[in-house]
């Protein structure tokens, strides 16, 4: 099923990109406000589909082993992601607390930055107005623990069991923007780095906890550990 999904995503990405271009050309050639509004709505749907297919292709590349690992400062990378999201979170009427310890891991910088972005995006998107979002990073002997948590409505036990699957979205969020791939990409990146990842309920809210091996520790010991999905 995964191979078929990836092939379908690849085949449809180009015609969807052409469709977006033609819709934009039609909008520029049409001065009627109602026609432009209809074209804008169609273009938004095409962009959402294209984002989903791009996400599926990105996921396939990660699961295929893309990305070289090298020692890097995870705290600096997470700080950059938090700084990027600070204004968005505050514009949503939310707050962001950051507690980062200086730690190093073996990782791919681009993939880990995407992981941090996806976690902050999900927290901001689903925690709700007025929510408090907290990012923490700490060393635990041979481990590095990254947590992103919020005090929003949280996630049901049933949804937590399926949240890392592709294209899974809660019933309350099916009309909101998004592809349902955010946590799937997080899981794929975590596995690529020999990390464990789990969702934990809070009262109220939700915590996403990732546990990485510290830089210098053998990744092989993590590859033989059962992931905590």
């Amino acid at each position: 099923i995964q191979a078929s999904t990836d092939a379908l995503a690849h085949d449809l990405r180009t015609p969807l990109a052409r469709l977006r271009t033609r819709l934009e050309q039609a909008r520029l050639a049409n001065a009627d406000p109602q026609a432009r509004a209809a074209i804008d709505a169609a273009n938004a749907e095409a962009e959402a589909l294209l984002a989903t297919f791009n996400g599926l292709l990105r996921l396939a590349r990660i699961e295929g082993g893309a990305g070289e690992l090298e020692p890097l400062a995870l705290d600096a990378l997470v700080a950059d992601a938090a700084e990027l999201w600070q204004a968005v979170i505050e514009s949503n009427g939310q707050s962001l607390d950051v507690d980062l310890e200086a730690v190093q891991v073996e990782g791919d910088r681009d993939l880990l930055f995407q992981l941090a972005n996806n976690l902050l995006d999900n927290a901001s998107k689903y925690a709700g107005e007025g929510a408090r979002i907290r990012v923490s990073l700490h060393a635990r002997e041979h481990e590095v623990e990254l947590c992103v948590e919020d005090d929003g409505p949280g996630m049901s036990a049933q949804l937590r069991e399926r949240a890392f699957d592709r294209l899974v979205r809660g019933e309350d969020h099916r009309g909101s923007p998004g592809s349902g791939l955010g946590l799937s990409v997080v899981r794929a990146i975590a596995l690529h780095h020999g990390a464990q990842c789990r969702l934990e309920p809070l009262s109220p809210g939700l915590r996403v906890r990732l546990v990485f091996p510290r830089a210098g520790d053998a990744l092989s010991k993590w590859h033989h550990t059962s992931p905590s999905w």
Side-chain angles (χ1 to χ4, degrees):
I1 295 176
Q2 178 178 326
S4 298
T5 302
D6 297 338
L8 178 63
H10 188 274
D11 290 344
L12 290 180
R13 185 172 62 165
T14 299
L16 275 172
R18 287 200 299 264
L19 175 61
R20 284 182 58 210
T21 300
R22 290 173 181 173
L23 284 169
E24 185 59 30
Q25 290 172 343
R27 186 184 189 281
L28 292 173
N30 200 316
D32 180 68
Q34 289 187 335
R36 281 197 164 197
I39 292 171
D40 286 343
N43 198 28
E45 294 288 343
E47 286 190 4
L49 285 170
L50 187 59
T52 297
F53 289 126
N54 284 335
L56 286 169
L57 290 173
R58 178 68 165 164
L59 190 54
R61 285 193 290 270
I62 296 168
E63 292 173 341
E68 296 294 327
L69 306 186
E70 60 182 2
L72 57 84
L74 186 57
D75 55 298
L77 185 149
V78 174
D80 287 344
E83 182 179 0
L84 180 67
W85 279 92
Q86 181 84 43
V88 175
I89 288 171
E90 291 179 352
S91 70
N92 290 339
Q94 302 162 332
S95 64
L96 177 63
D97 297 329
V98 181
D99 178 18
L100 307 177
E101 182 179 341
V103 294
Q104 281 205 334
V105 298
E106 299 277 348
D108 177 276
R109 189 174 304 276
D110 291 340
L111 292 182
L112 288 177
F113 191 74
Q114 181 174 3
L115 177 145
N117 272 290
N118 282 17
L119 291 176
L120 288 165
D121 182 22
N122 272 18
S124 179
K125 189 180 296 178
Y126 300 125
E129 185 176 357
R132 178 182 177 183
I133 298 168
R134 184 172 185 269
V135 182
S136 62
L137 178 67
H138 297 287
R140 307 280 190 232
E141 196 172 351
H142 297 294
E143 304 172 348
V144 172
E145 182 181 87
L146 171 63
C147 294
V148 177
E149 59 188 61
D150 64 73
D151 59 359
M155 188 182 292
S156 68
Q158 182 180 12
L159 183 55
R160 287 199 307 274
E161 292 179 359
R162 303 174 52 241
F164 289 109
D165 295 341
R166 297 178 178 207
L167 307 177
V168 170
R169 307 190 70 197
E171 292 296 331
D172 294 341
H173 301 292
R174 291 198 177 277
S176 60
S179 63
L181 289 171
L183 288 178
S184 299
V185 172
V186 166
R187 179 177 66 173
I189 295 172
L191 286 175
H192 183 69
H193 289 80
Q196 299 184 34
C197 180
R198 60 180 177 266
L199 300 177
E200 301 172 345
L202 300 176
S203 299
L206 181 73
R207 176 190 295 123
V208 185
R209 184 194 301 273
L210 294 102
V211 181
F212 296 83
R214 294 185 72 168
D217 290 334
L219 288 178
S220 59
K221 101 175 198 181
W222 292 83
H223 290 159
H224 295 294
T225 303
S226 298
S228 301
W229 308 123

